[in-house]
Amino acid sequence: MSDDTRATTAEDIKAVPVRHYGRWAVAVVVSVFVASLLYSAARNERFKWDVVGDYLFSDRVLNGLWLTLWLSTVAVVIGVILGTALAIMRLSSNPVLSTISLVYIWFFRGTPVLVQLIGWAFIGALYPEISFGVPFGGPDLISGSGNDIITPITAAILGLGLNLAAYQSEIVRAGLLSVDEGQVEAGKALGLTGSQTMRRIVLPQAMRVIIPPTGNQAIDMLKTSSLVSVIAVSDLLYSVQLIYGQNYQQIPLLVVACIWYLFFTTLLSIGQYYLERHYAKGNVRSLPPTPLQRIRARTAGMRFGASGGGGGAGA
Amino acid sequence: MSSTDERTHGTDGASAGVPMVLAEGVHKRFGLNEVLKGIDMTVGRGEVVCLLGPSGSGKSTLLRCINHLEPINRGRITVDGQIVGYREKDGRLHELPEKVAVQQRADIGMVFQRFNLFAHRTALQNITEAPILVKGMGRKQAEARALELLERVGLGDRGGAYPSQLSGGQQQRVAIARALAMDPKLMLFDEPTSALDPELVGDVLDVMRDLAKAGMTMVVVTHEIGFAREVGDRVVFMDEGVVVESGPPSQVLDAPQEARTRTFLSKVL
């Protein structure tokens, strides 16, 4: 092989890549292990894959899945918007705003989310009548019984969203602090107001730092939302619990739930990857190729395919 | 075309006779550390004043006080006859509300040592940002103007580049174009060439030289003695928070009166 690669300085370098024998060895060991694991799971009748197949697309499961998806989405939207607001308040020079934010975070981060969910669900027990109006005896604008206003779904949205906001605000705050102070000064010097500088200059640059942990939170929320089963909201997990409560097929139904959770967390991870690329603009001289671009490049240059394949299998 | 062309050295303006910058007895403290200890300085219209002095002498702080990036503790600074950052009413100073303070800054261009270009915006977007947001200029018009300014600083073909794709010297020239896009009546330069590789300094100084020729009023904190001598109408030498001496470059740089100036110059020349 080395005979025909007589290097001349006039041509581009086509070096023989270093052979990663270790990677190949590990890849083979891991592949065998995974294959045997899959084989044993597939052959084990106690998994009852036929039951998994029966219920994967059943109406009750899909209804639960749908509720999980929109509940998590709403909670994440509330969390991100409120969290961003809390972070900006926390960093504000206005002492009233920063104190409000501090106390909010202290409370919602300091108590378990499960307790918060139950608290919202049973708020009717604490406040049988809820009314919004002029305080200290003024007229009421909206009023009703606590149980009518705070339904289990509302309780779930409030419990998950408000709790996420507390964590999200710390993520956003870290992102805002990561932006060089010179950027703020340049904005000020050009005559931008504080809020213009925040919205147009600081926040977009903070996104690069904010997005990875936010993606993490979104993925986490998809699964944390299963806590709402304790307040009888029929999300994905609660739906399969109801089904296996009737037919005692716990394992296959939990597998059904896990398949759906895995499927959507995978989708979210892919979305996060492209979102990160979008906000990397201007920070990386040239963006790394997307997996699709990488596959195309690899099939175009098959001669170097061997070494790339080893890396892929080991990863 | 641009405002710098319309506004030549003219003493025929509406506020003729009022100096562009007037600093009287300016004190600035950071905690217990007094950085400016009573600065008096005047910058006339169309004048180029170079601030020289050892590091820690307060030159940059003075510059940042002129556009109220740093509020001062005593004394007063006026730009074009207006008190910077405050309004005088019944013999008391009132802080300006943000909307008004922002208008004042919009008229004063500033160029930083570390460029501070917006990293997530292209060169062109860096320049159009403030005219669109602050002056409410249309995007098309702002972009045309930005291209014109990029052309002027010799970067007509780099409008689409992000700051990270530009050399230091190119970034600094974009930063100057960005400041000029607001049609400032005064330009502040805070050691604009100190962070540049030696071979890139010349391009930036060329742009500043052209700007001075076009009649822009400039206050330049610099260590470039050659530039101060050639372009500066006046040199102000500062040390330990006070103005040690000031006058035309030929006087301050070639025949300094004060021992501290002589010591400093002997080190940098």
Side-chain angles (χ1 to χ4, degrees):
Chain A
M1 191 172 187
S2 61
D3 300 332
D4 55 354
T5 53
R6 221 173 289 117
T8 59
T9 48
E11 285 170 25
D12 285 357
I13 296 171
K14 285 176 190 156
V16 180
V18 175
R19 298 291 170 192
H20 299 282
Y21 298 108
R23 278 187 200 171
W24 282 98
V26 173
V28 167
V29 171
V30 172
S31 305
V32 168
F33 179 73
V34 170
S36 63
L37 209 65
L38 290 175
Y39 180 78
S40 84
R43 294 276 304 217
N44 187 340
E45 283 175 4
R46 291 181 195 119
F47 274 102
K48 295 188 181 157
W49 292 105
D50 53 325
V51 179
V52 172
D54 286 345
Y55 281 99
L56 192 57
F57 296 101
S58 77
D59 283 348
R60 291 168 79 186
V61 169
L62 289 185
N63 286 340
L65 173 66
W66 171 242
L67 192 129
T68 287
L69 288 179
W70 78 252
L71 177 63
S72 318
T73 309
V74 172
V76 167
V77 168
I78 291 177
V80 167
I81 293 173
L82 187 60
T84 307
L86 283 166
I88 293 172
M89 284 163 67
R90 179 79 195 280
L91 294 175
S92 152
S93 56
N94 180 334
V96 179
L97 293 181
S98 75
T99 308
I100 292 173
S101 171
L102 196 71
V103 172
Y104 181 99
I105 295 166
W106 168 77
F107 181 79
F108 282 92
R109 211 171 49 162
T111 53
V113 63
L114 187 58
V115 175
Q116 288 172 29
L117 276 171
I118 296 171
W120 286 111
F122 294 101
I123 202 152
L126 293 172
Y127 294 97
E129 286 288 322
I130 295 180
S131 62
F132 295 95
V134 183
F136 308 115
D140 288 344
L141 303 175
I142 307 170
S143 67
S145 97
N147 285 328
D148 289 345
I149 292 177
I150 308 286
T151 62
I153 288 285
T154 332
I157 291 173
L158 286 173
L160 296 174
L162 299 190
N163 182 262
L164 178 64
Y167 285 93
Q168 183 64 22
S169 78
E170 290 293 279
I171 291 173
V172 174
R173 190 167 68 95
L176 296 178
L177 290 176
S178 77
V179 177
D180 180 31
E181 214 174 324
Q183 299 283 312
V184 178
E185 289 199 338
K188 269 190 183 175
L190 284 166
L192 270 58
T193 61
S195 84
Q196 283 172 332
T197 309
M198 178 56 75
R199 277 182 291 119
R200 306 278 305 186
I201 310 300
V202 179
L203 253 183
Q205 294 189 64
M207 289 307 250
R208 211 169 47 88
V209 174
I210 293 173
I211 284 175
T214 302
N216 199 39
Q217 294 281 41
I219 286 169
D220 191 47
M221 178 54 74
L222 202 62
K223 293 162 295 133
T224 306
S225 66
S226 64
L227 286 178
V228 301
S229 57
V230 299
I231 52 172
V233 172
S234 51
D235 74 319
L236 177 56
L237 186 65
Y238 193 58
S239 301
V240 302
Q241 281 174 340
L242 287 178
I243 299 171
Y244 70 60
Q246 291 163 351
N247 65 10
Y248 303 108
Q249 305 287 355
Q250 283 92 337
I251 298 293
L253 279 154
L254 287 174
V255 169
V256 164
C258 285
I259 288 173
W260 282 120
Y261 282 122
L262 266 177
F263 178 75
F264 281 98
T265 51
T266 308
L267 280 191
L268 280 174
S269 307
I270 295 170
Q272 180 187 340
Y273 176 83
Y274 284 94
L275 209 60
E276 276 176 34
R277 270 177 67 86
H278 175 75
Y279 282 104
K281 250 184 347 185
N283 270 291
V284 191
R285 275 164 203 254
S286 63
L287 290 169
T290 62
L292 213 71
Q293 289 166 339
R294 218 172 286 162
I295 289 166
R296 269 193 221 121
R298 205 172 283 177
T299 45
M302 278 308 278
R303 269 179 301 171
F304 300 103
S307 64
Chain B
M1 194 180 73
S2 71
S3 73
T4 40
D5 299 326
E6 294 155 25
R7 195 193 61 252
T8 48
H9 282 262
T11 42
D12 52 352
S15 40
V18 182
M20 184 56 82
V21 181
L22 182 62
E24 297 170 302
V26 172
H27 287 252
K28 171 68 189 173
R29 285 187 304 271
F30 291 107
L32 291 174
N33 180 22
E34 190 161 46
V35 183
L36 299 179
K37 303 168 183 165
I39 300 280
D40 295 298
M41 188 178 75
T42 312
V43 180
R45 282 156 198 284
E47 200 177 21
V48 177
V49 171
C50 294
L51 291 179
L52 257 54
S55 61
S57 59
K59 328 176 282 286
S60 291
T61 304
L62 176 59
L63 205 67
R64 294 161 59 82
C65 289
I66 293 176
N67 71 350
H68 206 57
L69 275 183
E70 299 284 357
I72 60 177
N73 298 111
R74 203 191 305 170
R76 78 167 48 186
I77 298 177
T78 63
V79 170
D80 203 10
Q82 279 187 311
I83 305 172
V84 173
Y86 303 98
R87 179 177 52 191
E88 200 166 27
K89 204 173 143 197
D90 308 327
R92 287 198 63 184
L93 290 180
H94 297 251
E95 270 182 40
L96 287 179
E98 190 184 23
K99 280 204 168 139
V100 188
V102 153
Q103 288 303 323
Q104 265 186 355
R105 281 212 193 93
D107 284 342
I108 305 172
M110 183 149 189
V111 174
F112 300 86
Q113 182 178 355
R114 309 253 2 134
F115 330 131
N116 294 348
L117 287 182
F118 304 136
H120 62 309
R121 296 264 193 265
T122 63
L124 195 78
Q125 291 167 339
N126 260 279
I127 303 174
T128 55
E129 188 82 22
I132 292 172
L133 280 181
V134 181
K135 293 196 155 181
M137 194 184 271
R139 182 167 299 279
K140 284 239 169 77
Q141 196 192 349
E143 278 175 1
R145 180 76 210 286
L147 271 176
E148 205 176 278
L149 286 165
L150 277 174
E151 205 74 57
R152 186 164 156 193
V153 298
L155 293 170
D157 55 341
R158 300 310 307 273
Y162 285 97
S164 61
Q165 297 164 329
L166 298 170
S167 75
Q170 290 172 331
Q171 289 189 56
Q172 194 59 299
R173 283 184 280 156
V174 172
I176 294 174
R178 176 174 73 174
L180 290 177
M182 292 300 287
D183 294 325
K185 49 191 177 191
L186 167 69
M187 284 283 284
L188 308 174
F189 292 87
D190 188 5
E191 304 198 26
T193 58
S194 296
L196 299 179
D197 290 340
E199 78 271 22
L200 302 176
V201 169
D203 291 336
V204 172
L205 292 183
D206 284 344
V207 169
M208 291 169 61
R209 197 175 287 122
D210 290 346
L211 205 54
K213 271 189 205 143
M216 177 62 77
T217 310
M218 293 160 60
V219 182
V220 185
V221 172
T222 186
H223 292 296
E224 298 286 333
I225 305 292
F227 177 83
R229 190 194 306 276
E230 182 202 332
V231 182
D233 295 311
R234 218 146 41 81
V235 171
V236 173
F237 178 73
M238 287 177 65
D239 193 15
E240 296 186 344
V242 295
V243 172
V244 177
E245 71 178 296
S246 78
S250 57
Q251 182 194 316
V252 177
L253 297 175
D254 300 331
Q257 303 296 305
E258 300 290 328
R260 273 195 281 181
T261 320
R262 280 197 290 272
T263 319
F264 174 75
L265 288 172
S266 70
K267 281 181 190 155
V268 295
L269 283 177

